[in-house]
Amino acid sequence: MIRFTDVEKRYDNGVDALRGISMSIEDGEFVFLVGHSGSGKSTIIKTLTGEVLPTAGRVMVNGFSLNKISERQIPLMRRTIGVIFQDFRLIETKNVYENLSFAMRAVGASPKAIKQRIPYVLDLVGLAGRSRRFPHELSGGEQQRVAIARALVNNPTTIVADEPTGNLDPARSYEIMQLLERINRLGTTVLVVTHELDLVKRFHKRIIVLERGRIVSDGKERPIRPVHRWE
Amino acid sequence: MSKGHNFSYFIHEGVSNMFTHGFMSFAAVGVTVACLLIMGTFTLVAYNINEQLHRLEQDNQILAFVDDSLNDLEARALIDDIEGIPNVRSVEFISREQALDAYISQYEESERDIFDGMEASVLRHRFAVHVTEISLLGETAASIDAVDGIARVKAYEDVASGFVAMRNVASVVCIALIAILFLISIFIISNTIRLTTFDRRDEIAIMKMVGATNGFIRWPFVYEGFLLGLLGSLIGFLLQWALYEFVARGVSASDTMQLIQMVPFSQIWHYVAAIFGLSGIVIGVFGSLTAIRKFLRV
């Protein structure tokens, strides 16, 4: 479960990125977080992953209080979250299998566990048979599937996707969202940060709208703001 | 989490990263070799200068003249008293006759007739004494002078103190220069390794993102630094050996450098190997640790 209570974040340069954010995402939920550039979406992700600490307020992520978290606990907290980025962030010198095994090895998984887990996850994201391909041999959609597989491979309770379809065409974007929806149905909490409202509207999910560091809308209804204001 | 498969993973990653990032590894090894060669050459030159000075010091002797009242046997018996004095390395008895012969032999054959009929009794029996530590020459000479039966002692203290001063200055200058070179080497190598690490900041970021601990991220880099340092020191040692032998042969073959005696490499190779190995490993591991520190702060 993710819970933000009156969270504020002011950066050293004086920018107020978050101004009193309060929200709660329950286990197993699928939530879209939308807003234009500078609305505070990235700061929310960085706060969730422990990259930045809030200036005020309380943040709870999967049982960890990020206000009191020690340096030793941060890696343990991060193991509960799988992060997906717009630019995939795959290691170009490693093939698909190695990219996934690298992520498993990084948390100390045994070779046996790696051999068992990777084929299952690759099958789940529709990349069975692609394990020996290198990232540059895959399409953008396939690369994002590898990134999703990597986020899933350590069996996190939450997936956080930061603009996962930003580099993809509409058809591939829709497929990626469907894949995330399928993963959510298997019990994983999914938080998708995006500015693509047209895509978001095709899925009847909870939408949290951010503007200038504040939540201006939260619910399953269609957001009030027109699309062009955000892009 | 099993420690055993983690350890083999660290080793495997360290070795494979070295080959995967071949050019940067080559750069790091190259810089290590260059730094060790410069430092090693300088150290070996300093060591040889020191040894040369030490040899010249050893030639410096004390002459102890025996009292005229003692007969031959009594004079020769003083050798035990002198040998018992601390810092005395060797003692040689020189009889009046030997001293006269040596004195005359300094002159040209044609001039020696002026010494015809000269009695050896005009000279004294004497001892040529060599000391172990030249800086204690004055004290040793005084102790010899105090021996009953020794009339007078002649020691070239000025020359001795000159050697001591020269050796001290050379040692201080060498230590200072070697320390500076060592620091510069660490700086250059840690920056080279930092470049290799910068090349892999994405890998580190991914490891951090999936929840790897700093220790887990650090170990493969430590092994890699260790291996790069070891490889650099091995290549550096072999090149140093070749360079040393080349210079030693050049010196021994040269007419103008006959006085210089270089220490054979076979006598010092194990020290050079140990210093190179240790320096390479310290530089590699320390360089890796300092280079990676910045990327772990996420």
Side-chain angles (χ1 to χ4, degrees), chain A residues 145-188:
Chain A
R145 284 170 189 269
V146 178
I148 293 170
R150 184 182 60 195
L152 280 174
V153 81
N154 288 325
N155 209 13
T157 56
T158 307
I159 292 283
V160 176
D162 185 5
E163 303 279 3
T165 56
N167 281 352
L168 305 177
D169 60 55
R172 298 291 88 73
S173 298
Y174 188 71
E175 283 173 13
I176 291 294
M177 286 301 182
Q178 280 185 314
L179 175 59
L180 290 171
E181 199 180 25
R182 197 182 320 144
I183 290 163
N184 172 247
R185 280 201 298 271
L186 293 172
T188 309

Side-chain angles (χ1 to χ4, degrees), chain A residues 50-51 71 75-76 78-79 81 83 85 89-91 93-94 102-103 105-111 150 154, chain B residues 1-2 5-6 8-9 13 16-17 20-21 202-214 216 298:
Chain A
E51 282 179 68
E71 275 211 17
L76 301 178
R78 284 181 179 156
R79 290 176 197 183
I81 305 173
V83 188
F85 298 96
R89 298 198 191 170
L90 301 175
I91 301 168
T93 53
K94 294 184 191 289
F102 178 74
R105 274 295 200 183
V107 295
S110 69
R150 184 182 60 195
N154 288 325
Chain B
M1 192 189 300
S2 152
H5 68 72
N6 278 351
S8 60
Y9 167 77
E13 280 295 296
S16 72
N17 284 342
T20 310
H21 304 272
D202 289 344
E203 285 179 36
I204 298 172
I206 290 163
M207 290 174 94
K208 293 285 290 184
M209 186 184 75
V210 298
T213 59
N214 284 350
F216 195 93
V298 182

Side-chain angles (χ1 to χ4, degrees), chain B residues 242-285:
Chain B
L243 182 69
Y244 193 91
E245 290 294 346
F246 176 75
V247 173
R249 274 186 207 147
V251 167
S252 67
S254 163
D255 292 336
T256 52
M257 290 188 275
Q258 285 295 316
L259 276 176
I260 300 173
Q261 278 184 302
M262 280 179 72
V263 180
F265 198 74
S266 58
Q267 274 181 26
I268 51 171
W269 75 267
H270 40 286
Y271 295 117
V272 179
I275 292 167
F276 267 55
L278 206 65
S279 304
I281 290 166
V282 166
I283 286 169
V285 170

